[in-house]
Amino acid sequence: MFDYTFQWNQVLVRLPKMLDGALVTMEVAVLSMLIGITLAIILTILRLSGSRPLKAVATGWIEIARNTPALFQIYMAHFGVASFGIHFSPFVSLLIGITFNNAGYLAENFRGALKAIPDTQARAGRSLGMSQIQAFGYIILPQMLRISFLPMTNQMVWAILMTSLGVTVGMNSDLYGVTQDLNALTFRTFELFAIAGVIFYVITKFITLSARIIASRLFRY
Amino acid sequence: MIEIQNVHKSFGQLEVLKGIDLVVQKGEVVTVIGGSGSGKSTLLTCINGLEPINSGKILVDGTEVHAKSTNLNKLRRKIGIVFQQWNAFPHLTVLENVTLAPRKVLGMAKAEAEAIAERQLMHVGLGDKLLAYPSRLSGGQQQRMAIARALAMAPDYMLFDEVTSALDPQLVGEVLETLKMLAEEGMTMICVTHEMAFARDVSKRVAYFHQGVMAEIGAPEQIFGDPQHPETRKFLASVR
Ligand SMILES: Nc1ncnc2c1ncn2[C@@H]1O[C@H](COP(=O)(O)OP(=O)(O)O)[C@@H](O)[C@H]1O
Ligand SMILES: [Mg+2]
């Protein structure tokens, strides 16, 4: 009934390859977060702007990002746009898909954070002669990012996990892609994916813990 | 000089200021008293252009606050305002709270802004709190910090909106002392206040607001000793 023999050696010799994949995974996640946070700030500003079309763009983005599968978003960034003759590499498509998702979720978090900051903060800034942009940049934005720090950490963890969807658009250099290729080569399915799982777990734990340390250093108020 | 000429201001259907006329000379201290909802705060936020007005004019040193061509960001540099709610920027230290606007609005170098900020903070008695975050300060200290923050812009006018109203009674004194000190130094001030003793001691003139109208204005001796308007009498009787 249970006659599978574990062969860890065959898999462990391939660990360096998997760790290389883990680096690519982290690269995608970090890039998607940096760009995603920037875009989320822009979406937040668009939402605050008086302009209806700009608001509609931001709202549309956020709605789609939060209410469709991440797989769909990555698929669209690859095969969807290919229908219009736009061809991205699997890496770029995966990055676009995850970034789109990050920006949408984070913009929604930022909206919640803004509600926690009293109007009187911006008013105090304007009273000191600051422009609207200065008051936002120097007074509102730092507080918003602080309040959103934990959700941003969670999103970073999600970004790491979402990289595994890259295989559907032909990505094979990330941790999940490498693991899948090795599996086709060795058929050590359980061992390979167990190790991949452990690596994913270690990365996300590392992120959560270092975020906690960064937060305690950064936010002393 | 601040010249307020027949200012009308409504929020929707509600007319909050019903034709206010008031001239405040350089170096003068005018206190504004009156019941809650009489339009005192609204008047102050109209003076620095935070609120639009419906008709009339407000001139600060001859510049019309609500004219389209007026650069409000620039005009506000010379009008400091401190609000009833404490508005410390929580993510910045006391020193950074005070240096932020001089650096970003006036483009001052960090060292210069810090020198000015330190001087202003010493002045209001917070010289030992420079590196503290506002969450570590009492309400009275936060209000004094807000005063120093406004003063660091070297304003020509200061507006105070019930700056002691949200404070515990034992902290009111230290903030009023700070205001008194400013008045003695010759700062031009409009102070909305519920502190009648302060109004009597410090101001050159006291204005009584009632339901969007400046019902009466005069020297403190006259307003407190011989109020002319029946509403002023009623109000003063109620706060005594
Ligand atoms: N932003 C606003 N929107 C609508 N109504 C307001 C607003 N600010 C003040 N009011 C109303 O205007 C009136 C005067 O308010 P305010 O100037 O704050 O009075 P005071 O400072 O004398 O207590 C009140 O009835 C208040 O409810
Ligand atoms: Mg008020």
Side-chain angles (χ1 to χ4, degrees):
Chain A
M1 166 201 135
F2 186 79
D3 57 0
Y4 187 86
T5 13
F6 294 104
Q7 298 189 10
W8 293 100
N9 276 344
Q10 265 207 54
V11 171
L12 284 177
V13 294
R14 280 154 173 125
L15 190 59
K17 269 199 169 163
M18 295 179 76
L19 291 177
D20 283 345
L23 276 182
V24 174
T25 283
M26 286 197 270
E27 190 188 343
V28 172
V30 168
L31 280 176
S32 74
M33 279 304 284
L34 292 178
I35 308 171
I37 290 170
T38 311
L39 289 172
I41 292 171
I42 294 171
L43 289 176
T44 304
I45 294 171
L46 294 188
R47 260 193 180 181
L48 292 174
S49 78
S51 153
R52 268 186 174 214
L54 292 181
K55 262 188 199 169
V57 169
T59 309
W61 182 321
I62 294 161
E63 285 292 307
I64 295 170
R66 297 178 68 240
N67 296 295
T68 63
L71 180 59
F72 160 82
Q73 294 161 26
I74 293 163
Y75 224 74
M76 278 307 226
H78 195 72
F79 298 113
V81 298
S83 314
F84 308 113
I86 304 168
H87 298 280
F88 293 127
S89 70
F91 182 93
V92 171
S93 297
L94 180 63
L95 182 60
I96 292 175
I98 297 178
T99 302
F100 177 84
N101 187 277
N102 285 346
Y105 271 92
L106 291 173
E108 190 62 15
N109 284 320
F110 289 169
R111 192 233 290 261
L114 283 182
K115 284 202 186 121
I117 303 170
D119 293 343
T120 51
Q121 286 281 308
R123 230 169 144 78
R126 298 304 303 276
S127 300
L128 290 165
M130 289 184 204
S131 67
Q132 218 171 347
I133 296 169
Q134 286 176 320
F136 183 79
Y138 297 124
I139 298 170
I140 306 302
L141 185 64
Q143 298 186 55
M144 184 183 90
L145 292 177
R146 191 229 157 120
I147 298 170
S148 308
F149 194 77
L150 185 64
M152 283 197 278
T153 310
N154 292 340
Q155 191 65 32
M156 174 77 188
V157 167
W158 266 114
I160 292 281
L161 302 182
M162 280 190 285
T163 59
S164 61
L165 300 171
V167 290
T168 62
V169 295
M171 179 85 175
N172 60 3
S173 56
D174 67 311
L175 175 56
Y176 207 85
V178 168
T179 310
Q180 208 177 50
D181 281 2
L182 290 175
N183 184 40
L185 211 66
T186 64
F187 296 107
R188 303 316 308 172
T189 309
F190 180 84
E191 293 90 328
L192 280 167
F193 282 98
I195 287 176
V198 169
I199 296 175
F200 270 115
Y201 184 86
V202 170
I203 295 174
T204 55
K205 272 291 154 191
F206 172 75
I207 289 168
T208 326
L209 290 179
S210 34
R212 219 176 281 165
I213 293 167
I214 291 170
S216 69
R217 287 279 158 85
L218 216 54
F219 307 133
R220 277 175 298 176
Y221 60 95
Chain B
M1 186 168 61
I2 297 176
E3 298 162 88
I4 299 165
Q5 300 171 356
N6 195 23
V7 165
H8 288 258
K9 159 80 184 168
S10 301
F11 288 111
Q13 296 294 310
L14 180 70
E15 191 172 26
V16 174
L17 297 176
K18 303 169 182 166
I20 303 294
D21 285 289
L22 174 66
V23 175
V24 179
Q25 298 291 346
K26 244 345 202 339
E28 198 181 13
V29 177
V30 173
T31 51
V32 178
I33 60 173
S36 170
S38 56
K40 307 180 298 293
S41 300
T42 304
L43 181 70
L44 295 192
T45 49
C46 288
I47 291 173
N48 83 347
L50 281 175
E51 287 289 349
I53 59 178
N54 296 78
S55 66
K57 248 188 212 176
I58 298 177
L59 302 163
V60 175
D61 294 339
T63 305
E64 192 178 340
V65 177
H66 297 90
K68 273 223 165 68
S69 57
T70 298
N71 181 342
L72 274 178
N73 295 339
K74 208 167 161 198
L75 185 72
R76 285 184 188 131
R77 294 177 195 175
K78 61 169 154 188
I79 311 171
I81 186 165
V82 181
F83 299 96
Q84 176 176 357
Q85 311 87 347
W86 320 328
N87 283 317
F89 304 137
H91 59 299
L92 301 177
T93 62
V94 168
L95 187 65
E96 289 165 344
N97 259 273
V98 180
T99 55
L100 183 65
R103 291 182 63 192
K104 305 304 179 187
V105 175
L106 302 179
M108 220 178 258
K110 190 175 178 212
E112 191 189 357
E114 284 181 349
I116 290 172
E118 279 176 35
R119 199 178 331 126
Q120 291 298 351
L121 285 163
M122 303 260 261
H123 202 104
V124 300
L126 290 175
D128 57 339
K129 299 285 182 200
L130 301 182
L131 301 180
Y133 281 93
S135 58
R136 305 261 166 227
L137 302 185
S138 72
Q141 290 171 329
Q142 292 206 32
Q143 282 301 52
R144 284 186 279 141
M145 188 204 75
I147 294 170
R149 190 169 71 185
L151 290 175
M153 295 296 284
D156 296 323
Y157 305 94
M158 284 292 293
L159 314 177
F160 294 97
D161 189 6
E162 295 191 31
V163 290
T164 59
S165 291
L167 296 178
D168 291 338
Q170 74 271 19
L171 299 177
V172 169
E174 63 189 60
V175 176
L176 291 183
E177 279 310 312
T178 308
L179 297 192
K180 234 176 245 181
M181 178 178 75
L182 280 182
E184 280 158 13
E185 289 165 3
M187 175 60 75
T188 312
M189 308 178 12
I190 303 179
C191 307
V192 173
T193 186
H194 280 310
E195 301 290 336
M196 296 304 145
F198 170 81
R200 193 186 333 223
D201 290 355
V202 173
S203 38
K204 182 147 172 261
R205 286 186 297 157
V206 178
Y208 173 67
F209 270 55
H210 180 68
Q211 295 179 355
V213 176
M214 193 167 74
E216 189 168 356
I217 183 164
E221 305 79 48
Q222 184 255 303
I223 296 288
F224 293 109
D226 182 23
Q228 300 300 304
H229 199 283
E231 290 296 341
T232 318
R233 268 180 238 136
K234 239 198 263 172
F235 176 76
L236 289 174
S238 75
V239 295
R240 261 186 201 127

